[in-house]
Amino acid sequence: MKPIGIGKKIYDLCENLYPICRSITGEGVRQTLSILQEHISLEIHEIPSGTEVFDWTVPKEWNIKEAWIKDDKGTTIVDFKHHNLHILSYSIPIHKKMSLVELKKHLHTLPAQPNLIPYRTSYYQENWGFCLAHEQYETLKEGTYEVFIDASLESGHLTYGEYFIPGKTKEEVLFSAHICHPSLANDNLSGICILIYLAQYLSERDNRYSYRFLFAPGTIGSITWLALNEAKTEHINHGIVASLLGDGGAFTYKKSRQETAEIDQVAAYVLKNSGLPYLLKDYFPYGYDERQFCSPGFNLPVGNLSRSQFGSFPEYHTSADNLKFIRPDYLAESYEVYLQIIKVLEANYRPVNLNPKCEPQLGIRGLYKAVGGYKDQQSMHIAMLWVLNYSDGSRSLLEIAEKSAIPFDIISKTAKLLEDHQLLSSV
Ligand code: ZN
């Protein structure tokens, strides 16, 4: 029997979560988080509607049971039961008969992609609506239509999940994914499910860094977390917002607003050495939750790592972003890139040469012999010279690797050897 690869496991979790109707609040989010709890011991937080979070207020909680449109023969022509995207997210309840002209004011379609259902929301303006394929919209005839939405928009809670893994240091790496989208696979079940398996991996190890995973609704969720946890942000040394990781597009790393943060260097290094196509982008103030983490009052070193960029692929925010659009092999590749970033972060530091005046004698310390086990003794020797010379506390091992064009793992192993021989220390 073939072992189940990580890509298949991540895909299966996406498949499990795909049918749930999520929004920025409500039972769909709770149900999602409770499935995630089967994998990691996620802490669930419930923040009451009306809570002030910086310039925003936690909204009313939205839940939906049923929604449909019937024509004058009583035939159901659009039914939320068939696709979560049929309902405008945060639609208020309604039960009314109306003309086609009136109904059309509340219908959303994609004329340029006539067979797809669009994804639309109206979180902050009370409204109702349905989304459908434009080709169906065009078949609608004059007549009286009956519209029914059994939804509630009431004082309740905003729900988010958090998982913290303490490390040897208080310094933290933050991983965040938005959990507010209904049946859309790449955006962002792919991000959520990759983070779950990374969290599981890290929870089984002793890590240098502490790791914080956030699963919160987009925008309002990260704003809420930042407002309620401002003191914790001082420990966030690195972070990535995870999204759009299951499609076959080139990787896109959007740098943090700092642009030269260690996470920006590490992500660029890992992508460059992955052998996979990728793009590096400077920070820009739209996109996902990096907008909040990188707002000027926080300016945290948090980037965004996706494959195809948001809004850039035809399936984006449509019914075509489904389980056929994402693939286990792409998810596995994305997971591997995230894992490599973690490995480089864990091993990277700014070393100091403890014998900085002229070169130390490597021979008498047995360091020539020590590297004898390596395939390329000559290159280990060269690596030692690079590490010793540039370990002045101002450069990281990764920067030495970049400067010397020697792979990071060789530089890292070399530094460990020099540490063992009391020639090197971390700052
Ligand atoms: Zn989206």
Side-chain angles (χ1 to χ4, degrees):
M1 202 174 89
K2 261 182 148 179
I4 299 174
I6 187 72
K8 173 81 167 67
K9 287 189 193 174
I10 297 166
Y11 184 90
D12 287 350
L13 184 54
C14 292
E15 200 172 28
N16 198 356
L17 297 171
Y18 183 78
I20 301 171
C21 184
R22 281 166 290 272
S23 185
I24 52 171
T25 62
E27 286 307 323
V29 175
R30 285 191 194 96
Q31 209 183 329
T32 300
L33 293 173
S34 95
I35 291 173
L36 300 183
Q37 274 182 321
E38 293 166 15
H39 298 266
I40 56 172
S41 42
L42 205 57
E43 237 180 72
I44 312 277
H45 298 262
E46 296 275 2
I47 313 302
S49 304
T51 305
E52 287 187 12
V53 286
F54 297 124
D55 202 39
W56 298 61
T57 306
V58 172
K60 289 177 183 167
E61 181 177 326
W62 182 71
N63 283 292
I64 180 152
K65 286 191 191 126
E66 203 183 332
W68 44 255
I69 306 170
K70 284 182 183 171
D71 65 14
D72 47 16
K73 293 188 196 81
T75 308
T76 305
I77 56 159
V78 176
D79 196 341
F80 164 69
K81 194 159 68 189
H82 295 147
H83 206 301
N84 288 328
L85 294 184
H86 276 318
I87 192 78
L88 172 81
S89 189
Y90 260 65
S91 279
I92 54 172
I94 186 169
H95 190 189
K96 203 178 159 190
K97 286 192 175 171
M98 64 190 70
S99 67
L100 181 62
V101 177
E102 200 185 336
L103 174 66
K104 278 187 168 177
K105 289 180 197 156
H106 295 272
L107 299 183
H108 304 268
T109 68
L110 293 166
Q113 293 170 293
N115 59 338
L116 303 181
I117 309 167
Y119 164 51
R120 295 280 184 273
T121 67
S122 187
Y123 303 138
Y124 303 106
Q125 199 180 5
E126 290 201 358
N127 198 355
W128 64 269
F130 285 85
C131 304
L132 66 158
H134 194 71
E135 57 192 19
Q136 185 189 4
Y137 174 91
E138 287 191 311
T139 65
L140 300 180
K141 296 188 176 68
E142 291 300 331
T144 304
Y145 288 84
E146 185 184 356
V147 167
F148 179 66
I149 300 176
D150 181 7
S152 60
L153 186 59
E154 292 162 353
S155 190
H157 293 84
L158 175 148
T159 316
Y160 70 83
E162 190 170 5
Y163 183 55
F164 182 71
I165 309 169
K168 289 192 189 83
T169 68
K170 275 192 170 176
E171 293 174 10
E172 285 183 21
V173 184
L174 172 75
F175 286 108
S176 156
H178 61 278
I179 52 154
C180 49
H181 287 29
S183 301
L184 294 167
N186 203 30
D187 183 15
N188 188 28
L189 293 177
S190 63
I192 297 168
C193 300
I194 283 176
L195 290 194
I196 287 296
Y197 280 96
L198 284 173
Q200 210 174 60
Y201 169 89
L202 288 164
S203 70
E204 289 159 359
R205 276 160 186 81
D206 287 328
N207 307 303
R208 168 179 159 211
Y209 285 114
S210 296
Y211 287 84
R212 188 177 298 279
F213 288 82
L214 264 189
F215 300 92
T219 309
I220 190 66
S222 52
I223 291 172
T224 300
W225 187 84
L226 284 163
L228 303 179
N229 297 278
E230 198 167 345
K232 289 181 186 162
T233 61
E234 69 172 287
H235 298 300
I236 297 174
N237 279 35
H238 320 283
I240 297 184
V241 171
S243 60
L244 311 177
L245 292 163
D247 66 282
F251 283 89
T252 308
Y253 179 73
K254 173 184 171 183
K255 294 176 194 171
S256 74
R257 185 172 173 275
Q258 299 181 15
E259 291 183 3
T260 52
E262 191 179 335
I263 189 66
D264 301 325
Q265 297 175 349
V266 171
Y269 178 82
V270 168
L271 288 170
K272 189 173 74 184
N273 290 283
S274 68
L276 299 164
Y278 72 98
L279 271 171
L280 293 181
K281 293 240 159 196
D282 280 348
Y283 181 79
F284 49 88
Y286 49 93
Y288 291 105
D289 285 323
E290 66 279 4
R291 281 157 33 211
Q292 314 310 330
F293 300 120
C294 298
S295 55
F298 286 104
N299 200 23
L300 296 172
V302 176
N304 176 301
L305 178 56
S306 66
R307 298 189 67 129
S308 290
Q309 294 174 66
F310 79 99
S312 73
F313 52 97
E315 294 83 359
Y316 178 77
H317 281 190
T318 74
S319 50
D321 181 357
N322 55 33
L323 291 166
K324 285 188 201 125
F325 182 54
I326 61 166
R327 280 185 16 189
D329 50 338
Y330 298 146
L331 291 163
E333 266 176 9
S334 301
Y335 173 86
E336 190 54 33
V337 166
Y338 271 76
L339 198 59
Q340 287 308 318
I341 289 173
I342 289 171
K343 287 182 176 171
V344 174
L345 273 178
E346 284 279 314
N348 192 32
Y349 68 94
R350 289 177 191 278
V352 172
N353 183 340
L354 299 175
N355 188 94
K357 292 185 174 162
C358 300
E359 290 174 354
Q361 285 197 63
L362 301 177
I364 60 161
R365 292 178 167 85
L367 279 166
Y368 284 119
K369 209 172 136 205
V371 300
Y374 291 97
K375 274 187 199 154
D376 192 347
Q377 189 166 336
Q378 183 71 15
S379 76
M380 278 297 287
H381 180 219
I382 300 286
M384 265 189 246
L385 298 181
W386 278 101
V387 173
L388 286 166
N389 192 281
Y390 281 98
S391 291
D392 57 6
S394 76
R395 282 188 172 82
S396 69
L397 289 178
L398 180 62
E399 285 162 342
I400 299 171
E402 295 269 31
K403 198 165 179 58
S404 64
I406 296 171
F408 177 79
D409 66 322
I410 303 277
I411 291 290
S412 172
K413 277 179 197 153
T414 303
K416 176 78 179 58
L417 194 63
L418 294 171
E419 269 189 67
D420 292 346
H421 286 80
Q422 285 82 48
L423 285 172
L424 206 69
S425 112
S426 50
V427 175

